[in-house]
Amino acid sequence: MENIREKQEQQLKHEAVTINIDGKDYQVPKGMSVLEAARLHHIDVPSICYLKDINEIGSCRLCVVEVEGARNLQPSCVYPVREGLKVATNTPRVRRARKTAVSLLLSNHHRECTTCLRNLNCELQNLADTLLVRDIPFTGEMYDQGFHVNNPAIQRDYNKCIKCRRCEAICNKIQECYVYSALNRGLDTVIAPAFKKDLIEVSCIMCGQCVIACPTASLTEKESIGDVWDALSAPDKHVMVQTAPSIQVTLGDDFGMPVGTFVGGKMVAALKQLGFHRVFATDVTADLTIIEEGSELVERILHEPEKLPLLSSCCPGWVKFAEHFYPEFLPNLSSCKSPMEMFGSLSKSWYAQKYGINPDKIINVAIMPCTAKKYEAARPEMGTGEYQNVDFVLTTRELARMIRSVGINFAQLDDMEYDEPFDQHSGAGVIFGATGGVLEAAVRTAHYFITGEEMKVPDYNDARGQRGLKYGRVTLGEKTITIAIAHGTGNAKKALDMHKKGEKTFDYMEVMACPGGCVGGGGQPILGGRDHKAISLDYRHNRADALYNIDRGSKIRQSHQNPRIQQIYNEFLGKPLSEAAKKYLHTTYIPRGEYPYLHTRE
């Protein structure tokens, strides 16, 4: 896949201007900002409010430079290049201005760095160190702006907000949920939901993209590490852990490994060293999801075409987006629970019966790439009426903190295998973690269900890549269906609106709330900190490619060929869409337009 730098180099060949930065001439694409031109040539100009193509507002003033002929310093993120432009990025005046800007941000910032969740991975903290801010000459008033945590997923500390508006830009321009905006004026300004309500009281989908975008700890996941340690310390509990497909190529990011490094075996070893009684792969129930959702797709294609399109349902952020903004499409959502919830349901039913364990003693912990999974676990619809399927959800970041807290040298761990019976999985279950992976996996199985033959080439390239909205056609026997793939709920909105108008329709659509899919989830490692440059999709490319490499190297690449899935049906469920399957693996949804509040177990 092309990365952003390759695209810039191609653009440079077609149309370029020559500018001078710090006494050296460079060719850069016409129309580029001075900030991007500098970074293209490895000149580090600091910024904190800037997100490329998302939040280019020049408000933080950290990226200021001297431009020849200009009286005042100019914010480089919004200053376009032109032929012959001369720029200085490192003068006494520039250094003083940047240092002053950081000092002002810190003047009324609640500086609790040693106990902060983003300590050592905070953009503001690292900028202060980089710019040699050793004292703060300003004495701003330490207002207590409040701390909101009345939801299962995301906590908001307004005292650490620096008004960069990156959360607002991500939520409005990419996700199109419009949760955040500027309230009040002057020093009283806060970036918050309307009337400063908690996120649970508005149309927040809990995707956590605002958490990824936040440069400080003003937005973080609601941490569950203490609860998990308590469970592991309980002598009468059987504590199991499941790991989502994408974690095996993202956890290494938090330990300094190259982005996309496969660490599945080390992850299993670390979890066993932490004390979990059983370590299982959610990839197995990803395969199970494909069997159930693929069966739904086949049923609608062959017998109930009036119920098309079928919309995927494994992403809780997307499901909540549909509940808020497109309740008319809820009958089109697959009734399948997510792989995490299917695992939780089976762990306290089939698994408990098979191994003679009292379900009351089972604690199910899920390691997920997603803050919305914390919200999903709290939904009453995800239980079976008797038990909560998943007891605690940890993000990838939380697992990394647990591993570090006990002194495990992650990079030096020997690989270990998952435990039975949730151990064997197909390559199709792995690619769930990348945008397009669910649909590609479902097509492989739907083709077999309809034709009785395996797809000759299981790779479906139309489903791959980082374009926000993709369309294609798939032939399944004598039937040809139109498919759509969207990642980022703003793209899902475009697809649904066009479908409603009849402008561009589809029969089956996969939606992932987060850009890139689960590899870009709101609970994944934050690649900010010292490298405080613009967030791009490049790192998501690398993570997705790593998942596809695992799939290509798998002996089993179709979900229906997984022997563990066959075992589960033979021993417990009977067949896809059976009464037992519907009881344990399927769920319902709630229109939330008028009533956005989440009814949870909390």
Side-chain angles (χ1 to χ4, degrees):
M1 290 181 224
E2 290 182 337
N3 61 30
I4 290 173
R5 188 169 299 279
E6 289 170 343
K7 291 179 180 178
Q8 290 170 338
E9 289 172 353
Q10 286 187 355
Q11 184 182 354
L12 188 59
K13 293 177 182 178
H14 291 92
E15 193 173 11
V17 297
T18 300
I19 65 171
N20 185 283
I21 304 177
D22 296 332
K24 187 175 180 179
D25 289 340
Y26 298 97
Q27 278 199 322
V28 299
K30 184 179 180 181
M32 179 177 277
S33 70
V34 170
L35 176 65
E36 281 300 314
R39 289 178 175 176
L40 178 63
H41 292 284
H42 310 290
I43 301 168
D44 188 14
V45 176
S47 67
I48 203 165
C49 69
Y50 176 76
L51 289 181
K52 182 175 171 56
D53 299 325
I54 300 171
N55 199 46
E56 300 175 346
I57 57 177
S59 67
C60 72
R61 317 310 281 186
L62 278 163
C63 68
V64 292
V65 296
E66 285 200 59
V67 176
E68 186 179 74
R71 180 179 178 181
N72 299 319
L73 296 177
Q74 301 297 318
S76 61
C77 67
V78 293
Y79 200 96
V81 299
R82 64 175 185 270
E83 183 67 36
L85 184 72
K86 290 187 177 180
V87 176
T89 70
N90 181 23
T91 67
R93 187 183 179 196
V94 166
R95 290 196 298 271
R96 284 196 302 271
R98 291 175 181 169
K99 195 170 182 177
T100 298
V102 172
S103 297
L104 286 168
L105 288 174
L106 290 169
S107 66
N108 64 349
H109 189 75
H110 287 224
R111 299 185 292 276
E112 304 160 344
C113 296
T114 55
T115 57
C116 180
L117 208 60
R118 290 287 295 274
N119 187 29
L120 304 181
N121 191 27
C122 168
E123 293 184 42
L124 180 61
Q125 182 188 58
N126 286 319
L127 278 171
D129 180 56
T130 300
L131 298 175
L132 305 178
V133 177
R134 299 293 182 251
D135 61 83
I136 302 170
F138 314 106
T139 54
E141 291 191 41
M142 293 291 184
Y143 293 113
D144 185 357
Q145 298 279 18
F147 184 89
H148 287 183
V149 69
N150 297 323
N151 69 80
I154 297 172
Q155 59 189 34
R156 177 64 151 156
D157 186 348
Y158 288 98
N159 298 315
K160 294 177 181 176
C161 177
I162 59 172
K163 286 79 172 176
C164 67
R165 305 182 78 155
R166 279 161 48 165
C167 59
E168 179 185 1
I170 285 282
C171 191
N172 294 358
K173 295 180 181 179
I174 303 300
Q175 303 301 74
E176 296 196 30
C177 295
Y178 301 96
V179 168
Y180 299 103
S181 62
L183 307 181
N184 307 325
R185 303 183 69 180
L187 292 175
D188 294 326
T189 299
V190 292
I191 312 302
F195 307 106
K196 210 174 176 181
K197 290 184 176 182
D198 189 88
L199 294 174
I200 202 65
E201 302 175 280
V202 295
S203 57
C204 174
I205 63 173
M206 305 292 165
C207 67
Q209 286 303 298
C210 58
V211 176
I212 292 288
C214 182
T216 67
S218 183
L219 284 159
T220 61
E221 67 273 20
K222 189 173 181 180
E223 202 172 52
S224 300
I225 293 175
D227 295 323
V228 173
W229 279 128
D230 289 343
L232 289 169
S233 300
D236 63 334
K237 298 297 184 182
H238 180 80
V239 187
M240 61 176 65
V241 62
Q242 55 165 312
T243 65
S246 65
I247 310 296
Q248 58 196 321
V249 298
T250 62
L251 180 60
D253 296 358
D254 254 337
F255 295 96
M257 298 179 178
V259 174
T261 300
F262 174 75
V263 295
K266 296 182 186 300
M267 174 180 64
V268 172
L271 289 165
K272 291 187 176 183
Q273 200 165 326
L274 288 172
F276 289 97
H277 300 116
R278 294 288 186 275
V279 182
F280 297 130
T282 317
D283 312 47
V284 180
T285 41
D287 281 334
L288 187 60
T289 302
I290 286 302
I291 302 300
E292 291 294 316
E293 189 168 308
S295 297
E296 277 188 296
L297 178 62
V298 170
E299 185 69 20
R300 296 192 189 197
I301 291 173
L302 297 182
H303 307 297
E304 298 177 305
E306 71 279 3
K307 292 186 178 181
L308 292 172
L310 178 67
L311 308 177
S312 68
S313 61
C314 60
C315 171
W318 146 241
V319 168
K320 193 164 188 280
F321 183 86
E323 289 178 326
H324 279 296
F325 300 105
Y326 291 92
E328 68 271 29
F329 278 100
L330 293 184
N332 297 95
L333 258 68
S334 166
S335 61
C336 290
K337 293 179 180 177
S338 69
M340 179 187 84
E341 290 295 334
M342 285 192 180
F343 178 94
S345 182
L346 290 178
S347 71
K348 297 185 180 182
S349 53
W350 173 67
Y351 173 85
Q353 295 172 20
K354 185 177 180 66
Y355 291 90
I357 303 171
N358 184 343
D360 290 330
K361 303 298 183 182
I362 291 177
I363 299 293
N364 190 324
V365 178
I367 312 298
M368 292 288 135
C370 179
T371 50
K373 287 293 183 183
K374 291 175 177 281
Y375 148 80
E376 181 184 52
R379 290 186 63 145
E381 299 88 0
M382 294 302 168
T384 58
E386 193 172 0
Y387 300 104
Q388 181 175 341
N389 289 343
V390 177
D391 298 284
F392 304 109
V393 175
L394 299 178
T395 62
T396 315
R397 297 189 293 269
E398 288 174 274
L399 175 58
R401 291 179 206 130
M402 284 189 74
I403 293 170
R404 282 196 295 268
S405 72
V406 297
I408 294 174
N409 189 334
F410 186 78
Q412 297 302 315
L413 288 172
D414 293 327
D415 289 353
M416 296 185 71
E417 300 290 332
Y418 285 108
D419 295 315
E420 294 183 4
F422 297 100
D423 52 348
Q424 293 178 278
H425 55 80
S426 74
V430 172
I431 61 176
F432 251 65
T435 174
V438 174
L439 186 141
E440 181 173 344
V443 164
R444 294 177 188 179
T445 289
H447 184 277
Y448 175 76
F449 284 170
I450 289 177
T451 67
E453 299 176 356
E454 302 292 357
M455 293 184 71
K456 293 180 180 179
V457 181
D459 301 280
Y460 181 55
N461 291 323
D462 283 355
R464 302 186 181 186
Q466 294 295 323
R467 281 181 293 120
L469 181 56
K470 300 182 286 289
Y471 290 92
R473 297 177 71 83
V474 177
T475 299
L476 304 173
E478 297 180 355
K479 299 285 185 179
T480 298
I481 63 170
T482 303
I483 57 97
I485 297 164
H487 59 113
T489 47
N491 288 314
K493 181 178 184 296
K494 293 174 187 174
L496 293 172
D497 287 346
M498 287 191 291
H499 184 89
K500 287 170 66 174
K501 295 175 183 177
E503 295 174 354
K504 200 167 184 66
T505 60
F506 50 84
D507 299 306
Y508 181 35
M509 182 167 75
E510 176 211 300
V511 181
M512 293 290 185
C514 295
C518 298
V519 292
Q524 296 284 29
I526 297 174
L527 302 182
R530 189 65 71 172
D531 183 20
H532 51 259
K533 299 178 179 60
I535 294 174
S536 75
L537 285 175
D538 271 9
Y539 71 93
R540 294 166 184 148
H541 287 174
N542 296 343
R543 291 169 174 175
D545 286 347
L547 294 179
Y548 286 120
N549 287 336
I550 296 170
D551 173 42
R552 278 190 290 271
S554 299
K555 293 180 180 179
I556 300 173
R557 301 189 64 189
Q558 286 87 359
S559 297
H560 53 273
Q561 292 183 356
N562 183 350
R564 289 302 186 202
I565 297 302
Q566 296 167 7
Q567 179 186 4
I568 292 170
Y569 278 108
N570 290 335
E571 294 183 5
F572 188 64
L573 297 175
K575 62 180 182 178
L577 304 182
S578 66
E579 288 301 315
K582 289 179 180 178
K583 176 181 178 181
Y584 292 101
L585 308 182
H586 292 254
T587 188
T588 56
Y589 308 107
I590 301 171
R592 299 181 188 274
E594 297 180 18
Y595 306 100
Y597 302 97
L598 172 67
H599 58 298
T600 69
R601 299 177 181 85
E602 293 197 343

